[in-house]
Amino acid sequence: MDTIVVLDFGSQTTQLIGRRIRDLGVYSEVLPGTEPIPESIRRTMKGVILSGSPASVHEPDAPKVNESELSPDVPVLGICFGLHQLIERAGGTVERASRREYGRAPLRFRNNAEAHPLFRGVPDGFVSWMSHGDSLSSLPDRYEVLAESSSGIPAAVRSESEQILGIQFHPEVTHCEYGNRILENFVVGICGAARDWSMDRYVEQVRGEVRNAVANRSVLVLISGGVDSTVTGALLLDALDPEQVHLMYIDTGLMRKDETEEVRQSLEALGATHLHLIDARERFLSALRGVADPERKREIIGDLFMTVQQEELAEREIGEDLLAQGTLYTDLIESGKGVGTHAEVIKSHHNVRSPLVIEKREAGSIIEPLSKLYKDEVRQLGRVLGLPESVVGRHPFPGPGLAVRILGEITAERVQVLQHADAIYTDELRARALYDKIWQAFAVLLPVRSVGVVGDTRAYGSVVALRAVSSADGMTADVYPMESRDLLEISARITNEVPEVGRVVYDVSSKPPATIEWE
Ligand code: XMP
């Protein structure tokens, strides 16, 4: 299958480049930028894209592409830092700009760029999206500017041979106008890659990869009830003999209302032969007693998860060889563990950073078959594997569960209050046909009490915040513009039916600057 190789130098949007290319129906692999491209991939490689990076080419330990990786007969597109590397190698210069260019930037074509294949169908003056501190100050010989920003910074360049192209902006970001068109022009128009990639073919490929990785060993999947781990379980049951697959679900008591029962039913429907359901509600609650700090909560939950798992494995004599996790690309990148090692740590996701997981990872006994995918691709994969819409369409749920939605201390009573309010919210969204239009919606229990009147007396009740966001992958998110009538009716139902709640508010912050979860 024709392949476009994306070499990763640590940009937060590297996987998004790969993802956009797959959306065009062309197979793409994201590989570490500083390591050799495997021979098996070289054989089908039609083009190479060098990603951006949080590093600057001026830093002594900045990641660098190995000269020998770029063959003269395969077109190369450098994006931002990728462009800077190409230009420095060829004898041009890159300077630290006095002012960072960030966000929307209209571009002007130069040197007849409208006729260039990279800009086919793209109008002069289109608005690109920039995020850089360094920029090109002089071009190498036999290079030409194709577009520049309003401050005169080169925004697109080409080599005379046309083998090397570079852009300062990020076509992979949704805010970049004609971004997909530019990627398509490069991948299909310039590299000539065939559009023969589909989710069905991906399933075939990943099935083979899972079989190779697991061979005749046994594998354990920790099922959280969410889409990612359920799809991982379905994939393993599909690729392997179900006798090899152990599915373990630990009820931390921090799940959504009735979730444990739903999980049991959907796992049984997957044809699992080894299904282990563990009730650890008391243990989690007591380990979290008195803890209000969010990262501490995550740590405690992550570690206890693994401890309970180890104990149960020993007790049940499962003796698993491998651990499979439904870690997505976004989980890795947000924990600073992307394909490269350069992405910065934003938040610790327990399935990535728990010391026990790290230990397993170092021993090479973790498989993460979804780690190249974005959430909506995982849903597509689940559909191809035959999972029902009620499972694949479910909103994402964080590993630490309601612990990070109960701000402040976690008690059994507060868990119940939140589960109740959240269940009403979800129920209403489904009844109003809003659930599938929203990427993620949930209730949050705030650590404050607020005054109200019940009957004729003043009462101090809890405050619940409702969150609903639109997003493609969780990396950025917009507030879902809920109709006020829906909000008023949902709020009234919550305060009527959950006696502990005295007030409901709606969160109207996008990501960034806020995150989706409250902690
Ligand atoms: P944030 O809050 O970072 O959320 O904007 C982005 C997506 O990640 C989920 N999330 C988590 N998932 N462990 C997880 O497994 C966590 O600690 C965690 N924190 C956030 C969040 O629900 C959203 O889908």
Side-chain angles (χ1 to χ4, degrees):
M1 206 174 353
D2 286 356
T3 306
I4 298 292
V5 167
V6 180
L7 291 179
D8 177 35
F9 297 99
S11 161
Q12 295 265 331
T13 53
T14 303
Q15 278 289 344
L16 206 46
I17 305 172
R19 199 268 146 85
R20 298 272 181 253
I21 297 171
R22 294 197 295 271
D23 280 351
L24 294 168
V26 174
Y27 185 62
S28 139
E29 280 265 357
V30 176
L31 300 172
T34 49
E35 284 169 32
I37 301 169
E39 198 40 50
S40 56
I41 295 180
R42 274 186 171 282
R43 273 184 243 126
T44 55
M45 182 170 86
K46 287 285 181 179
V48 178
I49 296 182
L50 308 190
S51 87
S53 173
S56 154
V57 283
H58 298 123
E59 290 166 17
D61 53 356
K64 271 201 182 66
V65 62
N66 207 319
E67 192 87 18
S68 57
E69 295 310 314
L70 306 176
S71 39
D73 48 349
V74 175
V76 178
L77 174 70
I79 296 180
C80 194
F81 173 86
L83 160 69
H84 303 160
Q85 287 193 67
L86 293 170
I87 290 301
E88 281 218 322
R89 266 169 27 116
T93 50
V94 175
E95 260 181 18
R96 188 133 275 276
S98 50
R99 200 162 54 84
R100 250 174 86 85
E101 260 188 327
Y102 184 81
R104 293 162 53 84
L107 300 187
R108 303 295 300 273
F109 282 156
R110 295 282 176 261
N111 297 312
N112 203 21
E114 45 283 321
H116 192 276
L118 189 63
F119 291 116
R120 183 164 302 138
V122 181
D124 193 4
F126 81 98
V127 180
S128 73
W129 198 88
M130 299 273 195
S131 172
H132 64 111
D134 291 350
S135 42
L136 306 189
S137 48
S138 75
L139 290 192
D141 289 346
R142 294 190 291 279
Y143 272 68
E144 182 173 81
V145 171
L146 287 174
E148 61 186 30
S149 73
S150 53
S151 43
I153 289 175
V157 303
R158 69 173 185 93
S159 68
E160 194 179 54
S161 67
E162 290 287 353
Q163 279 314 101
I164 295 187
L165 295 162
I167 50 184
Q168 181 58 75
F169 55 92
H170 290 269
E172 70 277 16
V173 171
T174 39
H175 316 288
C176 182
E177 283 180 12
Y178 299 94
N180 281 342
R181 182 68 203 240
I182 292 167
L183 284 174
E184 181 179 358
N185 285 343
F186 178 70
V187 165
V188 181
I190 295 172
C191 301
R195 296 176 187 254
D196 53 8
W197 187 86
S198 66
M199 194 44 89
D200 292 293
R201 292 201 66 167
Y202 185 72
V203 172
E204 266 170 50
Q205 181 193 327
V206 85
R207 206 183 264 141
E209 284 171 10
V210 166
R211 280 185 193 141
N212 280 342
V214 177
N216 55 3
R217 293 181 285 178
S218 64
V219 56
L220 170 75
V221 195
L222 289 177
I223 300 284
S224 70
V227 182
D228 309 342
S229 57
T230 312
V231 172
T232 306
L235 180 60
L236 294 180
L237 288 169
D238 173 282
L240 305 168
D241 176 350
E243 279 301 317
Q244 289 175 274
V245 184
H246 289 268
L247 301 160
M248 183 182 276
Y249 171 85
I250 299 173
D251 184 358
T252 60
L254 300 161
M255 329 303 286
R256 289 170 278 209
K257 188 161 179 284
D258 301 330
E259 190 158 1
T260 301
E261 185 47 29
E262 286 170 22
V263 165
R264 193 183 58 75
Q265 285 174 12
S266 62
L267 292 182
E268 280 174 357
L270 284 176
T273 49
H274 302 298
L275 175 56
H276 313 273
L277 297 178
I278 293 147
D279 179 0
R281 288 176 293 181
E282 277 305 317
R283 281 185 82 175
F284 276 86
L285 265 187
S286 68
L288 288 164
R289 192 161 296 135
V291 178
D293 176 67
E295 284 302 281
R296 186 76 199 113
K297 286 180 188 171
R298 283 189 168 83
E299 251 170 57
I300 292 173
I301 294 170
D303 288 350
L304 189 53
F305 228 87
M306 296 299 267
T307 309
V308 171
Q309 173 216 331
Q310 295 298 343
E311 286 174 10
E312 293 290 334
L313 288 177
E315 206 165 293
R316 291 164 193 248
E317 295 176 356
I318 294 174
E320 97 294 357
D321 300 312
L322 295 166
L323 177 66
Q325 297 203 123
T327 317
L328 302 193
Y329 179 68
T330 38
D331 302 333
L332 289 171
I333 195 87
E334 296 214 338
S335 293
K337 289 267 170 31
V339 171
T341 49
H342 311 285
E344 286 168 30
V345 175
I346 295 177
K347 184 179 276 181
S348 83
H349 286 260
H350 84 249
N351 48 356
V352 181
R353 292 183 74 83
S354 151
L356 285 160
V357 174
I358 292 169
E359 197 184 291
K360 280 254 178 206
R361 187 185 303 283
E362 278 166 6
S365 48
I366 285 193
I367 57 167
E368 292 173 316
L370 311 184
S371 65
K372 289 179 190 166
L373 300 182
Y374 279 79
K375 194 84 186 185
D376 51 335
E377 292 179 305
V378 170
R379 292 205 164 101
Q380 277 181 47
L381 175 61
R383 288 185 188 106
V384 171
L385 290 169
L387 284 172
E389 202 53 41
S390 60
V391 172
V392 291
R394 188 178 245 164
H395 290 175
F397 190 62
L402 299 182
V404 290
R405 294 179 179 170
I406 296 174
L407 310 198
E409 196 190 344
I410 297 159
T411 61
E413 193 222 347
R414 296 190 80 209
V415 172
Q416 252 180 22
V417 169
L418 182 58
Q419 278 179 335
H420 194 175
D422 189 69
I424 294 172
Y425 185 31
T426 307
D427 193 42
E428 284 292 325
L429 292 179
R430 287 197 197 276
R432 290 161 199 266
L434 293 173
Y435 190 84
D436 292 334
K437 295 186 184 151
I438 294 170
W439 194 76
Q440 193 173 12
F442 52 89
V444 180
L445 185 61
L446 305 192
V448 285
R449 286 188 175 266
S450 159
V451 71
V453 234
V454 178
D456 287 333
T457 46
R458 281 162 77 83
Y460 284 87
S462 296
V463 184
V464 160
L466 301 181
R467 182 92 164 122
V469 295
S470 308
S471 178
D473 48 35
M475 300 282 270
T476 59
D478 285 326
V479 179
Y480 184 77
M482 192 93 68
E483 294 292 335
S484 50
R485 195 181 150 168
D486 290 318
L487 276 176
L488 298 184
E489 290 172 1
I490 295 170
S491 158
R493 228 195 111 186
I494 293 174
T495 46
N496 285 341
E497 293 180 28
V498 191
E500 297 85 351
V501 175
R503 195 178 289 262
V504 174
V505 296
Y506 190 59
D507 179 352
V508 291
S509 311
S510 62
K511 173 185 180 175
T515 49
I516 296 176
E517 300 292 343
W518 275 48
E519 25 178 68

